[in-house]
């Protein structure tokens, strides 16, 4: 079963690479003049994907960074978060599938559920207004901060022992992962809610990692191919993340014992709350401008 999943994940990501390389080749001149420092992108890619390997959302980190840098419009942030994370998540999924045991039925059900959820939402994301995109990202950051805070204060249980789900628990997790797959394409990361779901349903905390990474790598491919085909993403960010971000993932395994993740998570809670407030403030200001104009 593990071999089947690995082959499937490799096959899906080869499709993404085909469309991505084709788009990069076709639009190489546009890529060269696209805003953004390769050095800055490389630093962001390495560290955000390094932290993402431990379950600290690259969606949250990069949403904040990209809004400050202004390398591309805010409305392209959700699409770019998906495209740039596709290959690094492919690397993460292979690592966790091989090293963390998870019930195959549970893993397959949740992977396909999130993948199906991501199938149609890219079209909605591309048609969504700037204000609604900012609102969705703000909600996503706020929810992530709350879930991380609850986890740090042990409100969410982290002592489950199960390695698989059956019955109503499996049904609920399938529905929730489907929703998380849809929300990914609006810039709302699925790491924090997936972790919370796994913990609350009584599963071993480690099981969250192969589920998160494997579900994301397939659902990202489905959404990212649509974004790439429409040219609705940052090519430069995606190219650099595919290489440097993957290196960050591989490097993460070398120094995992020397990282104090609790301190990083407390910092993330504060930063996420401030970023969500900034997004909500922008939404209110833009709404007032539209009302005054009308």
């Amino acid at each position: 079963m593990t071999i089947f999943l690995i082959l499937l994940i490799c096959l899906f990501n080869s499709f993404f690479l085909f469309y991505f390389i084709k788009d990069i080749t076709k639009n190489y001149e546009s890529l060269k003049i696209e805003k953004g420092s390769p050095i800055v992108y490389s630093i962001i890619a390495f560290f955000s994907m390094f932290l993402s390997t431990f379950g600290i959302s690259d969606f949250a980190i990069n949403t904040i960074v990209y809004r400050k840098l202004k390398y591309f419009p805010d409305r392209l942030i959700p699409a770019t978060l998906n495209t740039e994370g596709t290959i690094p998540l492919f690397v993460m999924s292979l690592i966790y599938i091989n090293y963390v045991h998870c019930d195959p039925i549970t893993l397959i059900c949740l992977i396909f559920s999130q993948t199906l959820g991501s199938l149609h939402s890219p079209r909605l994301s591309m048609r969504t207004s700037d204000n609604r995109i900012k609102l969705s990202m703000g909600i996503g950051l706020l929810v992530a901060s709350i879930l991380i805070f609850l986890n740090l204060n042990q409100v969410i249980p982290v002592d489950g022992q199960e390695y698989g789900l059956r019955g109503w628990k499996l049904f609920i997790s399938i529905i929730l992962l489907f929703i998380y797959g849809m929300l990914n394409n609006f810039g709302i990361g699925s790491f924090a809610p997936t972790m919370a779901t796994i913990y609350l349903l009584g599963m071993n905390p480690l099981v969250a990692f192969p589920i998160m990474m494997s579900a994301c790598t397939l659902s990202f491919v489905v959404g990212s191919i649509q974004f790439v085909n429409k040219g609705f993403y940052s090519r430069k960010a995606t190219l650099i993340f595919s290489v440097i971000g993957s290196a960050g993932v591989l490097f993460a395994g070398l120094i995992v014992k020397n990282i104090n993740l609790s301190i990083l998570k407390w910092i993330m809670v504060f930063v996420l709350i401030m970023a969500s407030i900034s997004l909500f403030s922008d939404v209110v200001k833009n709404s007032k401008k539209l009302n005054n104009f009308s």
Side-chain angles (χ1 to χ4, degrees), residues 8-44:
L8 185 65
I9 288 169
C10 290
L11 179 63
F12 263 62
N13 279 274
S14 66
F15 283 127
F16 168 76
L17 278 174
F18 170 78
Y19 285 104
F20 178 54
I21 292 171
K22 179 181 176 183
D23 184 65
I24 289 294
T25 304
K26 181 180 177 181
N27 297 281
Y28 183 67
E29 294 302 319
S30 298
L31 171 66
K32 288 197 296 185
I33 62 173
E34 190 176 315
K35 286 179 65 177
S37 163
I39 295 174
V40 173
Y41 268 135
S42 296
I43 294 170
I44 298 167

Side-chain angles (χ1 to χ4, degrees), residues 220-259:
F220 274 29
V221 167
V222 170
S224 294
I225 286 176
Q226 296 183 60
F227 290 131
V228 168
N229 282 339
K230 295 291 185 180
F232 195 81
Y233 73 115
S234 168
R235 295 182 178 94
K236 182 177 286 188
T238 302
L239 180 61
I240 293 172
F241 265 75
S242 296
V243 180
I244 306 300
S246 297
V249 171
L250 293 172
F251 185 70
L254 300 178
I255 59 171
V256 61
K257 294 180 180 178
N258 299 319
I259 293 291

Side-chain angles (χ1 to χ4, degrees), residues 156-220:
I156 298 175
V158 291
D159 56 354
Q161 298 300 317
E162 299 296 325
Y163 286 87
L165 298 171
R166 293 293 186 274
W168 66 270
K169 288 186 176 182
L170 181 59
F171 178 75
I172 288 176
S173 63
I174 288 172
I175 298 299
L176 290 175
L177 267 290
F178 180 88
I179 294 171
Y180 302 158
M182 292 180 62
L183 295 177
N184 271 162
N185 293 309
F186 289 90
I188 300 176
S190 59
F191 279 10
T194 300
M195 279 184 171
T197 300
I198 296 303
Y199 297 166
L200 289 170
L201 292 176
M203 295 187 74
N204 187 299
L206 283 176
V207 175
F209 287 89
I211 290 174
M212 284 190 305
M213 308 311 179
S214 302
C216 279
T217 192
L218 292 192
S219 65
F220 274 29

Side-chain angles (χ1 to χ4, degrees), residues 1-10 89-102 107 111 206 209-211 213-215 217-218:
M1 189 66 71
T2 301
I3 295 298
F4 167 74
L5 277 176
I6 290 173
L7 290 174
L8 185 65
I9 288 169
C10 290
L89 269 165
F90 165 58
V91 178
M92 287 183 214
S93 66
L94 294 182
I95 291 171
Y96 281 113
I97 283 179
N98 278 296
Y99 290 103
V100 179
H101 171 69
C102 179
L107 187 58
I111 287 173
L206 283 176
F209 287 89
I211 290 174
M213 308 311 179
S214 302
T217 192
L218 292 192

